[in-house]
Amino acid sequence: MTPIGRRTLAGYLFLSPALALLGLFTLAPFAQGILLSFQSWDGVGLDTPWVGLENYRRVLADDVFWASMQNALAFGLIGFVLGNALSLGMAVAVSANPRGAVFYRLAYYLPGVFSVIVVGMMFAWMLQPTIGIVNRTLAWIGLAALKRNWLADPLTALPSVAGAYVWYHWGFGFLLFLAGLQAIPRELHEAAAIDGADAWRRFLFVTWPQLRPVTTIVGILTLVSALQIFGTVQVLTNGGPAYYTEVPTLRIYKEGFQFNRFGVAAAMSVVFGAVLVVLSVIQMWIGRRAEAD
C-alpha cells in the first residue's frame, strides 16, 4: 500500500467511531422515522401494519397542523429579524466600548444558560394577569387599560411567547456576531474614518459587508431553531389558547405521545423536516449570492 493510501486508511479508521455513532443515533432513526410514516403504530404493540400514504392524507387534511406551520413561520420571522437585530446591536455596542465588555458578555449570554423550564416559569409569572410584574407595572405607571391576560389572549399569546424565546436565545447570536466584529481589521475602520465616514456609514459599508459570512450562519441557525421551537411554547401555553400558539413540534409530540398515533406523527415529522430543508437551502443560496455581490 502506498503512503497516501495508508494515510487515507488511517484517517477513515480514526473517523470510524464518529461515523458509527452518527449512523446509529442519527441516520438509522431518520430512516426508521420515514418508514414509520407509512405504517400505523400505537407506540405499545408490536403490530405495525402498512397503510401507505394514509398518514400523509391525514396530515394534509389536518387544519391544526397547517395552522401550527403558520405559527412556526411567525416564530421564525420574529426570531430571525428581531432576535438577530438585537444580537447584532448588542455585539456592536460591546465591540465599540471595550470597557465592561466581560460583564456585558456574561450578562447577554446568561439567559441561554438557564433551563427552558426555568425561563418558561419565570415569564409565566411575569405575565400572570393578577400578580404578574408586567400588569402591575402598567397599573403603576397609569396604563392600567393596557393590562392583559397575556398568555390567554389570542392577540398577545404568540408575541408574548416569541418575546420569551428571543430573550432566551439572543446570547448565541450575540457571541457569534461579537466574534465576527473582532475579526474585522481595524485598518478598514480607520481608513473609512479618515475619508470622513461617520459611524453609520462605517457600519453600512465596512462592518456589514465583513459580517456577511457570520450573518449567513447565524441566520440559518436562528431561523431553523425558531421554527423548531418546542419547550418555550409547551411551558407557557401548551399550544393555547385555541391553538393560537400551536407549533409543529408540539403538534407532532401530542399526536404521538398523547393520541398514540405515531405513524401520523412520523408523517408530520417528514413534512416538517422537508420544509426546514427547503428553507435552509433557500437561505444559504441567498447568503451566497449576497457574499458574491
Side-chain angles (χ1 to χ4, degrees), residues 119-144:
V119 173
M121 294 180 64
M122 181 177 66
F123 271 85
W125 173 76
M126 292 172 58
L127 298 171
Q128 210 276 342
T130 55
I131 63 172
I133 189 172
V134 173
N135 279 348
R136 290 172 67 91
T137 301
L138 289 174
W140 181 65
I141 62 177
L143 297 176

Side-chain angles (χ1 to χ4, degrees), residues 81-95 170 173-178 180-181 203 207-208 211 214-215 218:
V81 178
L82 179 61
N84 286 339
L86 290 173
S87 297
L88 178 59
M90 293 186 296
V92 171
V94 172
S95 179
W170 68 22
F174 162 73
L175 287 183
L176 292 182
F177 280 127
L178 184 61
L181 288 169
F203 173 80
T207 303
W208 183 247
L211 280 180
V214 177
T215 303
V218 175

Side-chain angles (χ1 to χ4, degrees), residues 102-171:
V102 174
F103 169 77
Y104 288 113
R105 285 196 196 103
L106 177 62
Y108 291 150
Y109 188 71
L110 188 61
V113 176
F114 296 121
S115 165
V116 66
I117 305 298
V118 173
V119 173
M121 294 180 64
M122 181 177 66
F123 271 85
W125 173 76
M126 292 172 58
L127 298 171
Q128 210 276 342
T130 55
I131 63 172
I133 189 172
V134 173
N135 279 348
R136 290 172 67 91
T137 301
L138 289 174
W140 181 65
I141 62 177
L143 297 176
L146 298 179
K147 293 170 60 176
R148 294 286 187 279
N149 190 349
W150 300 95
L151 297 175
D153 189 334
L155 295 178
T156 58
L158 192 146
S160 299
V161 177
Y165 177 84
V166 168
W167 181 83
Y168 181 47
H169 288 86
W170 68 22

Side-chain angles (χ1 to χ4, degrees), residues 188-203 205-206:
L188 296 177
H189 289 283
E190 293 172 355
I194 293 174
D195 289 338
D198 56 17
W200 170 246
R201 290 183 179 276
R202 290 199 300 272
F203 173 80
F205 296 107
V206 177

Side-chain angles (χ1 to χ4, degrees), residues 227-245:
L227 289 172
Q228 293 178 335
I229 185 174
F230 175 78
T232 309
V233 175
Q234 187 184 37
V235 174
L236 286 175
T237 63
N238 198 33
Y243 302 114
Y244 274 91
T245 59

